[in-house]
Amino acid sequence: MCGIVGYIGKQQAAPVLLDGLAKLEYRGYDSAGMAVSDGATIRVTKARGRLKVLNELTHGGELLPGHCGIGHTRWATHGIPSDKNAHPHLNESETIAVVHNGIIENYLKLKKNLEEKGYHFSSDTDTEVVAHLLDYYYKGDPLDAIRRVMHRVEGSYALGIMFSDRPGEMYAARKDSPLIAGQASDGNLIASDVPAVLKYTRDVYFIQNEEILCLKEDSLKFFNIDGEELAKEPVTIQWDVSAAEKAGYEHFMMKEIYEQPKAVTDTLSPRIKDGKIEIEELNMTDEEIRQISKIYIVACGSAYHTGVSAKYVFEGLARIPVEVDLASEFRYRDPIFDEHTLLIVVSQSGETADTLAALREAKKQGVRVLGIVNVVGSSIAREADDVIYTWAGPEIAVATTKAYSTQLIVEYLLAMKFAQARGTVTEDTIHEMIEDLKKLPEQIEMLLDHKEKIQRFANRYIAAKDIFFIGRGLDYAISLEGSLKLKEISYIHSEAYAAGELKHGTISLIEEGTLVAAVLTQEDLYKKMISNMVEVRTRGAFILAVTVVGNTEVEKAADYVIYIPKTNKYFTNSLAVIPLQLFGYYVAVGKGCDVDKPRNLAKSVTVE
Ligand code: M6R
C-alpha cells in the first residue's frame, strides 16, 4: 500500500524523505516521488520503479534542495504504474503539491466538474482532483481550503500538502487511511507508519479521522474539520529502531520467523498470572461470556486462517457456535445477529479495508466487536469495542509469520477463558493447557533448529508447477496457511484441500511426482488421513507428511516426514506452521523471488 513521508525542519528534506520512504518499502509500491520547497518554488521528481530510481534521479536528494518536502511510494489503484501517475501531484500553476493514500471515491464527478471550470488533468489518478480542488478553494488560507476539500471528497485519504507561498508550513489531513506525525528535535514529520520516523523521534501523534495538521519547523497544530484547534498528546513508541530492521537475516521474513518464540512469549506470558488466564483488555463479565449465543470471526488472508483454526478451538472448548467469514464476503451478505452475538475481527495491520468495513457494519447493527490486532492505535484497534493486541512487534515482510502465530495465541486464550466462564472444561484441563501453552516458544525454537533439513527438501521443489496441501479438521486450517505461505512468495500454484474432499474433483490434478503436503496432527483423524494419503500416492503423488512425534506409522504412507513435538490437540497449528513457513520461504529463496515484497502484493491492504 502507498507510503507517505513529510519533513519540515533544519535538515535538507529530500534525504530525510528518501530514508523514511525506504522504511515504508514493506508496504508495497510501484513508483515513488518527492516534492521539495526551496522557499519559493516547489520542485518535483517522481518515477515508476523502486526508490533506487528516485535516489539516482535526485542524486540522493541533492537535486531537490529545501527544508520542507513530501514523499510518496505509490501502489497503483487508479491508473497504471507510471511516471505521470506517481505522486506528488500538482495544480497547474505548480504552487500546490499533494501526496495521497486511499481512494477518492467521487473523483470522476469532481474531475468532470473541475474540467468544466477549465482545469486540465495530467494523470489518471484520483489524487490529482485534490490538487486542483485545493487550487480552486485556495485564497491564501490553507486551512480553509483543506477543510473545503475535505467536505467535497468522498472516500479515504491521508494527505500531505505543501503550498509554495507558505514555505515554512506543511499540511496533512486524514480520513480512513493511517497517518501519524512525529516531533523530532530539529523538525517535524508526517508518515503513514511509525518505522518511517523512528530514526528521528519516538514521540508520535496518531492523527484521527477528519483531522488536519499544520506542521512548522518548531510546532505541530491539530484542527478538526471545523477548523477548531485540538489538544493532542504524543505517544512514546517503545520499539527499538533495530526492531524494524533485518538484524542480520537475509530477509525480514526469516527474521520474523525467528522472532516467533519471543512474539509468542510476549503475547502469552503477560496474560497468564498465577496459573490463570487474565486478559486485562477483555471488558466482559463472566455473565456476558455465558450469554454469548454465537461468534463470527471475520478477517482476510492469514488472519482468516487463524479464524478457521479458532473455530475448532472455540467450539470444542467453549461450546459456542462459530462462523468464520472472509471479510470481503461478510460485508455483502446478510448475517443474522442477536443481542448476544460477538464479532471477532482479526488483523495484523488493523487497517485492512474489508475487515474494517465488516467491523463497522456489525457495529452499526449493534453487535459487540472484539478486535485482535497487532498495530497499536490502528483503525480497527480504535474502532472495536474491545481490542486485544498481539504483541508481535512490527512485521515488515508481506508474508505474515509472527503476527499469524500470535493471533493463534490470543484466540486460544480467549477460547480457554470463555470455556472457563461457561464451565465447559474442568480447571484441571485448563491448567494442563496452560502448561502446554507455556512450552510452545521452546518447541518452536526446536523446530527452527532443523531448518537446514527443510531447506534441503525445499530445494528439490523450486521448479514445481503445482503443490497441494491436505488436512482434516484443524489440519485443514494449517493446510490453508501452508499453501498461502508457499504461493504468495514463490509464485508456485498451490491449493489447500480438506483431505476428504480430494476425491470429489481435485484428485484428477495429481500427476506422477506432484508434491502433496499432508498435515496429520489430530489423533482422531489420523487413520482417515493415512487413507487420503494412500489415495493420492497411488496416483503418483510424492507425500510430505507433517505429524506429531511418535506417529512413526505414517512413514509407510509418506515419502518424507517432519515431526512436530507433542502438544495439546488444539495447539498443533502453532507448531505445524513452522516447517510450512520455512518450506515456503526456502522454495521462494531457491527460485530467487523477492521474498519480502512479492509481486502484486502489499503488506497492508487498505482498499477493497
Ligand atoms: O493486516 P491483516 O492481518 O488484516 O492482513 C490480512 C491479509 O492481507 C494478510 O494476512 C495476507 O494474507 C498476508 N499476505 C498473508 O501472508
Side-chain angles (χ1 to χ4, degrees):
M1 215 50 43
C2 309
I4 287 179
V5 182
Y7 173 79
I8 183 163
K10 291 192 175 28
Q11 296 190 48
Q12 285 294 314
V16 178
L17 301 182
L18 285 168
D19 186 71
L21 290 174
K23 297 287 186 303
L24 298 179
E25 280 196 293
Y26 65 90
R27 294 166 71 94
Y29 69 102
D30 49 56
S31 52
M34 296 189 285
V36 178
S37 165
D38 63 4
T41 312
I42 295 176
R43 287 196 188 83
V44 173
T45 305
K46 54 185 190 169
R48 183 179 177 177
R50 291 291 192 194
L51 273 177
K52 196 169 159 274
V53 178
L54 187 63
N55 217 316
E56 281 165 10
L57 285 173
T58 61
H59 293 187
E62 269 178 35
L63 299 183
L64 291 178
H67 297 269
C68 174
I70 47 181
H72 191 266
T73 44
R74 175 176 187 257
W75 187 70
T77 54
H78 295 68
I80 56 161
S82 66
D83 292 357
K84 74 168 184 172
N85 286 336
H87 298 210
H89 290 283
L90 296 165
N91 61 339
E92 279 179 77
S93 54
E94 303 190 350
T95 53
I96 301 172
V98 176
V99 289
H100 164 228
N101 287 358
I103 288 180
I104 307 297
E105 289 171 5
N106 59 340
Y107 86 104
L108 281 176
K109 192 169 141 211
L110 292 172
K111 188 171 178 175
K112 187 164 172 276
N113 208 264
L114 285 160
E115 279 170 341
E116 281 163 9
K117 289 184 167 54
Y119 283 90
H120 297 99
F121 283 74
S122 53
S123 79
D124 310 314
T125 64
D126 51 339
T127 304
E128 202 184 345
V129 298
V130 177
H132 294 308
L133 256 192
L134 280 167
D135 178 274
Y136 179 71
Y137 285 122
Y138 186 54
K139 307 279 181 271
D141 181 348
L143 189 59
D144 180 66
I146 293 168
R147 286 176 48 221
R148 286 173 191 272
V149 169
M150 288 165 77
H151 282 294
R152 292 287 307 278
V153 296
E154 290 165 17
S156 59
Y157 52 81
L159 295 167
I161 306 164
M162 295 195 310
F163 297 84
S164 65
D165 64 346
R166 313 286 291 215
E169 295 169 7
M170 182 197 297
Y171 289 84
R174 83 155 271 195
K175 180 174 168 280
D176 293 337
S177 242
L179 189 69
I180 58 127
Q183 199 164 28
S185 56
D186 63 3
N188 290 310
L189 300 110
I190 53 166
S192 35
D193 204 354
V194 171
V197 305
L198 275 186
K199 183 171 167 190
Y200 307 98
T201 181
R202 286 174 186 282
D203 293 332
V204 160
Y205 296 87
F206 290 95
I207 319 293
Q208 306 296 333
N209 269 348
E210 301 201 317
E211 286 182 0
I212 307 164
L213 168 61
C214 171
L215 300 97
K216 295 185 184 172
E217 180 185 308
D218 53 4
S219 72
L220 284 166
K221 281 191 179 165
F222 303 89
F223 303 90
N224 64 19
I225 197 165
D226 297 324
E228 294 159 346
E229 196 169 338
L230 304 167
K232 277 174 102 73
E233 288 298 320
V235 174
T236 303
I237 299 295
Q238 304 294 351
W239 304 341
D240 213 60
V241 177
S242 69
E245 293 171 357
K246 278 187 238 166
Y249 290 96
E250 198 185 340
H251 299 100
F252 280 112
M253 183 176 171
M254 192 50 133
K255 173 177 171 274
E256 288 158 8
I257 286 174
Y258 265 82
E259 283 171 350
Q260 288 178 110
K262 180 173 185 301
V264 166
T265 306
D266 288 349
T267 304
L268 180 66
S269 56
R271 285 150 181 157
I272 309 269
K273 288 188 190 131
D274 303 325
K276 292 201 177 84
I277 299 165
E278 280 186 29
I279 309 174
E280 271 173 22
E281 308 100 308
L282 184 69
N283 299 309
M284 284 180 119
T285 62
D286 282 0
E287 184 50 33
E288 284 172 325
I289 294 171
R290 279 193 282 278
Q291 286 178 345
I292 296 171
S293 57
K294 182 170 195 169
I295 298 175
Y296 286 93
I297 304 179
V298 180
C300 301
S302 294
Y304 165 80
H305 296 161
T306 72
V308 177
S309 176
K311 173 184 166 73
Y312 294 95
V313 191
F314 276 108
E315 290 187 341
L317 287 177
R319 307 306 296 149
I320 307 173
V322 177
E323 277 195 50
V324 191
D325 271 81
L326 290 164
S328 53
E329 291 293 316
F330 181 81
R331 57 187 294 196
Y332 296 114
R333 73 180 179 96
D334 196 7
I336 298 159
F337 302 129
D338 70 26
E339 58 188 315
H340 300 303
T341 302
L342 175 68
L343 184 100
I344 301 180
V345 284
V346 189
S347 176
Q348 186 286 129
S349 62
E351 300 294 347
T352 301
D354 286 316
T355 312
L356 190 55
L359 171 158
R360 287 179 179 157
E361 188 53 43
K363 278 192 78 173
K364 223 191 285 171
Q365 297 195 41
V367 174
R368 183 169 189 157
V369 179
L370 167 64
I372 299 176
V373 180
N374 193 42
V375 177
V376 176
S378 57
S379 302
I380 293 175
R382 286 198 313 275
E383 294 190 29
D385 296 303
D386 303 285
V387 56
I388 303 179
Y389 284 112
T390 50
W391 288 310
E395 192 177 63
I396 307 293
V398 165
T400 182
T401 51
K402 59 178 181 167
Y404 170 91
S405 286
T406 53
Q407 286 162 359
L408 284 179
I409 295 295
V410 172
E411 287 161 341
Y412 301 154
L413 288 171
L414 267 178
M416 289 161 71
K417 180 89 193 152
F418 285 9
Q420 255 182 320
R422 294 164 75 93
T424 48
V425 288
T426 64
E427 286 305 315
D428 283 351
T429 305
I430 292 291
H431 178 74
E432 279 165 28
M433 292 181 85
I434 288 176
E435 290 311 304
D436 280 336
L437 277 177
K438 290 204 281 201
K439 285 184 205 145
L440 285 177
E442 202 184 320
Q443 292 174 325
I444 294 172
E445 262 165 28
M446 279 164 57
L447 286 162
L448 291 172
D449 285 345
H450 294 104
K451 68 177 195 310
E452 281 80 16
K453 185 181 164 196
I454 293 164
Q455 182 174 19
R456 280 194 297 277
F457 182 79
N459 283 340
R460 289 155 55 177
Y461 284 93
I462 56 178
K465 191 162 65 72
D466 309 289
I467 296 180
F468 295 90
F469 289 73
I470 58 170
R472 284 170 173 258
L474 269 159
D475 292 331
Y476 170 57
I478 194 64
S479 300
L480 289 168
E481 180 61 7
S483 173
L484 177 60
K485 257 339 42 114
L486 173 76
K487 70 184 139 195
E488 69 178 325
I489 56 173
S490 74
Y491 318 143
I492 290 177
H493 167 249
S494 168
E495 290 180 42
Y497 272 89
E501 188 65 13
L502 275 180
K503 52 186 157 303
H504 298 287
T506 320
I507 205 159
S508 66
L509 299 173
I510 304 296
E511 294 173 356
E512 195 59 39
T514 304
L515 178 62
V516 175
V519 187
L520 59 166
T521 68
Q522 302 297 302
E523 214 179 306
D524 51 339
L525 296 165
Y526 180 72
K527 290 219 161 69
K528 298 268 175 224
M529 268 305 292
I530 297 271
S531 307
N532 296 136
M533 286 158 65
V534 171
E535 276 163 18
V536 283
R537 203 184 195 200
T538 52
R539 285 157 180 86
F542 186 93
I543 309 275
L544 161 70
V546 179
T547 192
V548 179
V549 70
N551 288 343
T552 46
E553 200 196 325
V554 82
E555 289 176 17
K556 290 186 203 142
D559 300 285
Y560 197 90
V561 183
I562 295 169
Y563 291 101
I564 63 163
K566 278 198 167 61
T567 185
N568 183 282
K569 68 171 179 178
Y570 290 119
F571 305 153
T572 56
N573 278 8
S574 291
L575 300 177
V577 76
I578 305 298
L580 298 184
Q581 290 170 346
L582 290 169
F583 176 68
Y585 173 82
Y586 282 124
V587 171
V589 170
K591 285 187 72 175
C593 296
D594 192 350
V595 173
D596 285 334
K597 292 188 279 284
R599 69 185 179 206
N600 306 336
L601 286 176
K603 181 67 180 164
S604 175
V605 185
T606 53
V607 290
E608 248 190 272

